[in-house]
């Protein structure tokens, strides 16, 4: 029977995210006008350090748990991340008779992850709202509240690949990693596969929206509708390039993505009593467009390489110029004029680039119910849905491969 070889690992990790804000506020009322202004700064620091070591191929002496007791050479890992930003922020809110409101915001960020000469990213926003419920309360008393609103804003981005990071060490790139093993007395090092544009910059995501909020019958019924449009231009992205160049990707600013949609929400309180109440909220959203307008005319690239795949035989995700974001391609039956193609043995011919569609749904929505009993007990019953959008199922693939699915 097999014998357990034993294993030992030790690891120490330090993780810290510090966010400090300092603001000065000014509030003033002049007759029917109100002014609320804020000026301040935002400091962010993120540090991550980890050191670990583990044995390989078992322990030389049973039950002696030390790294030096490893049968083969132990593995050592050292990793660290440090990224920062500094920001100046100004915001003003202006009101008139609690009917008309205007908001203006300006923010400038300086990121440690961008080149020093171009690490500044400025973002702005503005909004206007008109609360008209009180103006029509006498002529239309069944309308409890009404507001028209519109806004436009920008969200700053550095080199991060998620909403929680800013892309530490992606610039300047070309970092050589030193392996723990040697070839004789020579060090083993690996070169970076990504070439970084020295003129790379941050970017902003822009979005504008207009909406209407209404409530009726003392807020027993509510309605909200929002139409929005957004664009993302000249954003940092790693393009795939010919490996003969010595690199497999180029990190540079590319492209334009255009988005638009409509969100509608209905809510009501069908039952309101002393010991029981029921609140229901329904939402539906239509994604009108989320299209890749352009990728990289400068480098003549109209489709990205695979940006996400689970298994070599599974469909893969790409972004294609002129199409909806997130296109799925994969293996399927080759067809000519809609007719399947057979080989000499009567089997279907495989086509590795069958187009399945976009992963993005056309509609999303949900229904939320909240029941309150005896004032202190609440039961929530919720459901959500989506219509449209393609996805690839790994479990279905293995089921089909194993002959366990109906097909």
């Amino acid at each position: 029977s097999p014998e357990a070889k034993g294993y030992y690992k030790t690891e120490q990790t330090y993780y810290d995210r510090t966010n400090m804000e300092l603001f000065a506020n000014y509030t003033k009322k002049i007759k029917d006008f109100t002014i609320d202004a804020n000026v301040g700064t935002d400091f962010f620091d993120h540090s991550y350090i980890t050191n670990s070591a583990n044995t390989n191929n078992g322990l030389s002496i049973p039950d002696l748990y030390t790294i030096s007791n490893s049968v083969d050479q132990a593995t050592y890992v050292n990793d660290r991340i440090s990224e920062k930003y500094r920001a100046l922020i100004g915001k003003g809110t202006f009101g008139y008779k609690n009917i008309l409101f205007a908001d203006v915001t300006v923010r400038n960020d300086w990121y440690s992850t961008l080149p020093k000469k171009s690490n500044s990213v400025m973002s702005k926003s503005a909004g206007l709202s008109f609360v008209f419920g009180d103006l029509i309360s006498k002529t239309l008393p069944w309308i409890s509240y009404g507001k028209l609103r519109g806004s436009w804003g920008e969200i700053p981005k550095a080199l991060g690949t998620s909403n929680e990071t800013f892309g530490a060490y992606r610039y300047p790139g070309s970092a050589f990693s030193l392996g723990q093993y040697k070839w004789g007395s020579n060090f083993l090092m690996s070169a970076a596969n990504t070439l970084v544009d020295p003129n790379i910059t941050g970017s902003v995501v822009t979005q504008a929206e207009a909406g209407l909020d209404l409530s009726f019958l003392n807020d027993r019924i509510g309605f909200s509708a929002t139409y929005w449009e957004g664009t993302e231009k000249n954003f940092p992205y790693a393009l795939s390039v010919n490996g003969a160049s010595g690199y497999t990707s180029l990190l540079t600013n590319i492209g334009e993505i255009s988005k638009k949609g409509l969100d509608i929400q209905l809510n009501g309180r069908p039952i309101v009593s002393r010991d029981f109440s029921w609140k229901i909220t329904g939402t539906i959203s239509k994604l009108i467009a989320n299209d890749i307008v352009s990728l990289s005319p400068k480098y003549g690239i109209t489709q990205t390489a695979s940006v996400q795949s689970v298994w070599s035989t599974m469909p893969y995700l790409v972004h294609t110029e002129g199409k909806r974001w997130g296109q799925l391609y994969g293996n399927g039956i080759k067809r000519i004029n809609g007719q399947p193609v057979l080989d000499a043995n009567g089997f279907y011919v495989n086509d590795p680039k069958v187009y399945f569609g976009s992963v993005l749904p056309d509609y999303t929505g949900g229904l939320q119910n909240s029941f309150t009993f005896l004032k202190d007990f609440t039961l929530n019953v919720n459901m959500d849905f989506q219509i449209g959008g393609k996805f690839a199922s790994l479990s279905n693939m293995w089921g089909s491969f194993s002959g366990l699915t109906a097909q």
Side-chain angles (χ1 to χ4, degrees):
S1 61
E3 181 180 353
K5 295 182 178 181
Y7 177 81
Y8 175 66
K9 179 179 180 179
T10 180
E11 181 173 359
Q12 185 178 36
T13 299
Y14 170 81
Y15 182 92
D16 177 69
R17 291 175 70 94
T18 302
N19 205 171
M20 296 184 294
E21 297 180 350
L22 177 64
F23 281 89
N25 301 325
Y26 173 79
T27 302
K28 183 71 174 180
K29 185 174 183 180
I30 306 173
K31 295 184 178 180
D32 294 329
F33 294 89
T34 58
I35 302 173
D36 189 0
N38 301 275
V39 177
T41 185
D42 181 6
F43 295 89
F44 174 84
D45 288 72
H46 172 215
S47 297
Y48 171 81
I49 302 173
T50 182
N51 295 288
S52 68
N54 62 266
T55 60
N56 284 310
N57 200 27
L59 303 175
S60 297
I61 301 175
D63 300 326
L64 176 59
Y65 297 102
T66 64
I67 297 299
S68 59
N69 193 34
S70 177
V71 172
D72 294 338
Q73 185 171 349
T75 297
Y76 300 92
V77 176
N78 174 255
D79 194 15
R80 67 195 68 182
I81 294 175
S82 178
E83 54 186 12
K84 306 175 182 180
Y85 72 71
R86 304 289 184 257
L88 291 177
I89 306 167
K91 179 180 180 181
T93 301
F94 309 93
Y96 174 69
K97 286 188 175 182
N98 288 327
I99 296 175
L100 194 63
F101 298 91
D103 298 280
V104 179
T105 302
V106 178
R107 177 183 178 117
N108 203 109
D109 290 87
W110 291 267
Y111 294 98
S112 67
T113 57
L114 289 169
K116 288 185 178 180
K117 64 179 181 180
S118 58
N119 66 349
S120 173
V121 180
M122 178 176 284
S123 55
K124 307 166 289 294
S125 68
L128 186 67
S129 60
F130 172 48
V131 182
F132 59 86
D134 292 340
L135 299 178
I136 59 174
S137 59
K138 293 183 179 180
T139 55
L140 299 172
W142 46 276
I143 297 181
S144 311
Y145 178 81
K147 181 171 77 171
L148 283 170
R149 50 185 167 78
S151 63
W152 172 90
E154 296 174 326
I155 302 172
K157 293 183 65 176
L159 300 181
T161 55
S162 71
N163 293 328
E164 297 181 354
T165 62
F166 302 99
Y169 313 127
R170 296 190 78 189
Y171 174 88
S174 298
F176 289 81
S177 60
L178 178 64
Q180 71 172 75
Y181 305 115
K182 295 182 179 180
W183 181 262
S185 59
N186 298 312
F187 293 109
L188 296 178
M189 304 179 69
S190 59
N193 292 321
T194 301
L195 177 64
V196 181
D197 184 347
N199 299 313
I200 197 167
T201 64
S203 64
V204 294
V205 178
T206 303
Q207 184 159 316
E209 65 177 43
L212 172 66
D213 301 322
L214 294 171
S215 63
F216 311 93
L217 305 175
N218 294 323
D219 298 327
R220 293 291 292 269
I221 301 174
F223 168 82
S224 178
T226 303
Y227 173 79
W228 56 269
E229 293 185 356
T231 59
E232 188 173 355
K233 295 181 180 180
N234 205 34
F235 50 90
Y237 190 86
L239 288 171
S240 295
V241 296
N242 192 326
S245 64
Y247 298 91
T248 58
S249 62
L250 169 66
L251 180 60
T252 186
N253 294 93
I254 69 162
E256 178 181 352
I257 301 175
S258 178
K259 310 173 185 178
K260 62 180 67 175
L262 178 64
D263 303 329
I264 296 176
Q265 181 183 91
L266 292 171
N267 62 77
R269 295 185 295 160
I271 301 175
V272 179
S273 64
R274 179 179 178 181
D275 296 324
F276 178 77
S277 64
W278 171 26
K279 182 178 180 180
I280 183 171
T281 301
T283 58
I284 185 168
S285 299
K286 165 63 175 176
L287 184 60
I288 299 172
N290 194 326
D291 300 331
I292 307 296
V293 179
S294 67
L295 277 176
S296 182
K298 178 179 179 180
Y299 296 101
I301 295 176
T302 59
Q303 179 174 296
T304 67
S306 175
V307 294
Q308 186 175 357
S309 61
V310 180
W311 203 265
S312 59
T313 57
M314 290 286 286
Y316 53 92
L317 184 71
V318 299
H319 303 313
T320 306
E321 190 173 290
K323 292 188 177 182
R324 207 172 178 90
W325 186 96
Q327 302 293 314
L328 272 183
Y329 288 84
N331 293 300
I333 298 173
K334 185 175 183 178
R335 297 177 185 271
I336 298 178
N337 297 325
Q339 299 300 315
V341 178
L342 304 179
D343 62 15
N345 297 316
F347 295 106
Y348 290 120
V349 175
N350 179 65
D351 183 351
K353 295 183 179 181
V354 173
Y355 173 62
F356 297 111
S358 172
V359 298
L360 297 179
D362 297 314
Y363 295 90
T364 57
L367 189 66
Q368 298 82 41
N369 292 274
S370 180
F371 304 94
T372 302
F373 306 86
L374 303 175
K375 298 181 181 180
D376 297 323
F377 301 93
T378 301
L379 173 66
N380 294 318
V381 180
N382 305 322
M383 62 167 288
D384 57 63
F385 68 90
Q386 76 172 47
I387 300 174
K390 304 295 183 178
F391 69 94
S393 171
L394 184 62
S395 58
N396 184 71
M397 185 205 76
W398 283 117
S400 300
F401 174 81
S402 306
L404 300 177
T405 61
Q407 62 185 16

